[in-house]
Amino acid sequence: EAQVTQNPRYLITVTGKKLTVTCSQNMNHEYMSWYRQDPGLGLRQIYYSMNVEVTDKGDVPEGYKVSRKEKRNFPLILESPSPNQTSLYFCASSFSQGAAYEQYFGPGTRLTVT
Amino acid sequence: GESVGLHLPTLSVQEGDNSIINCAYSNSASDYFIWYKQESGKGPQFIIDIRSNMDKRQGQRVTVLLNKTVKHLSLQIAATQPGDSAVYFCVWNAGNMLTFGGGTRLMVKP
C-alpha cells in the first residue's frame, strides 16, 4: 500500500530533550516536506526537500533541522524542544521535484513539550 | 511565504444541497492550486487541483474555479453528503513551497 508513515504518532517530552520524528514514504517520491498545524493557523511548512541531500527552509524553520540522506526518509529533528513547538506535525511527499504536484500526507505526530 | 488567513469560518449545509467554499489567496505569482480535505484526527487528503492556465476543472462531484484577476479560488461540492463533513483547505504554491489557507469547516446536516 502506498503510504507515508510517521513515528511516533504521539510524543510527550520535556524542554531541551532532543527528539527525532521519523517520516518514510514507499512511493519513490522525490519531494518531501514537513508541516506543523496549530489551532486556527492551518498548516505551515517547516522544511522541504526536493531530492536526496537537497533541503530548504519553509515558512517556520526556526528550532528544527532535517536531513535527506535517503530518498524514502525525511526525519525532523528538534535539537532543543521548547513549549512553543507543541503542535501537530505532518510529513508529506509528492512524486516530482517541486511543490506543484499532489502531496500525500502522513497520519500526523502530536507533540507536547512541557 | 505570504500571509494566510487565521480565521476558520464554518459552512453548514443540508445533506443533498450543493456546497461552495471560497478562498482568497495572496500570491499573484502562484501557478498551482489545490484543495485538501482534512477529517478529524487525519492528515490532509487531496481533492482536486488546478493550474493557472485553466479557470475551471471538474472531478467527481467537485468543481474548482480559479479567478486569477481577483486571486480567488472556490470549491463546489455537488449533492453534499455527511461524509463530506471536514475542514477544507485551499493551497497555493510559491515556487517550491506550499502555502495553506486558514481552512473552512463544512458541516453537513442530515
Side-chain angles (χ1 to χ4, degrees):
Chain A
E1 178 189 358
Q3 60 183 348
V4 178
T5 57
Q6 297 177 226
N7 282 292
R9 294 289 314 280
Y10 302 90
L11 178 60
I12 300 174
T13 190
V14 296
T15 298
K17 185 177 181 181
K18 180 180 178 180
L19 66 91
T20 299
V21 184
T22 64
C23 173
S24 182
Q25 50 91 7
N26 62 359
M27 297 168 279
N28 201 36
H29 284 174
E30 293 180 341
Y31 184 96
M32 297 187 74
S33 182
W34 275 102
Y35 299 85
R36 62 178 288 174
Q37 184 172 29
D38 302 291
L41 292 178
L43 281 82
R44 294 178 292 169
Q45 196 166 27
I46 303 171
Y47 269 95
Y48 63 96
S49 170
M50 301 276 281
N51 212 327
V52 174
E53 301 292 1
V54 180
T55 62
D56 282 292
K57 295 177 181 179
D59 286 323
V60 289
E62 295 78 20
Y64 304 95
K65 285 176 56 178
V66 293
S67 69
R68 188 90 181 274
K69 293 182 170 54
E70 306 166 277
K71 198 171 188 180
R72 65 182 294 129
N73 296 322
F74 190 46
L76 178 69
I77 303 157
L78 284 72
E79 294 272 6
S80 183
S82 62
N84 65 11
Q85 292 178 299
T86 292
S87 188
L88 179 59
Y89 292 86
F90 289 101
C91 179
S93 71
S94 65
F95 87 97
S96 179
Q97 286 190 354
Y101 292 91
E102 174 185 352
Q103 293 205 11
Y104 294 81
F105 283 79
T109 295
R110 186 167 292 281
L111 172 66
T112 302
V113 183
T114 62
Chain B
E2 297 186 31
S3 62
V4 302
L6 303 181
H7 176 59
L8 188 64
T10 298
L11 174 66
S12 184
V13 300
Q14 203 70 39
E15 181 179 357
D17 287 352
N18 297 333
S19 303
I20 299 176
I21 301 172
N22 296 305
C23 171
Y25 65 93
S26 54
N27 189 334
S28 56
S30 296
D31 57 6
Y32 179 62
F33 306 86
I34 320 120
W35 280 99
Y36 279 95
K37 171 186 180 182
Q38 186 177 24
E39 297 173 284
S40 180
K42 297 183 178 179
Q45 178 184 4
F46 174 90
I47 301 174
I48 192 168
D49 60 0
I50 188 169
R51 298 194 183 272
S52 58
N53 60 350
M54 304 173 68
D55 54 20
K56 180 179 180 179
R57 190 166 187 221
Q58 288 183 291
Q60 187 175 17
R61 280 203 307 120
V62 294
T63 300
V64 55
L65 299 177
L66 174 62
N67 185 331
K68 292 200 71 181
T69 302
V70 295
K71 292 186 284 188
H72 184 268
L73 194 67
S74 70
L75 176 70
Q76 301 177 357
I77 304 173
T80 312
Q81 303 169 358
D84 295 326
S85 294
V87 176
Y88 289 80
F89 292 99
C90 66
V91 184
W92 57 93
N93 72 326
N96 292 316
M97 288 174 49
L98 288 180
T99 300
F100 277 68
T104 296
R105 184 178 305 280
L106 175 65
M107 297 178 61
V108 182
K109 296 177 288 186

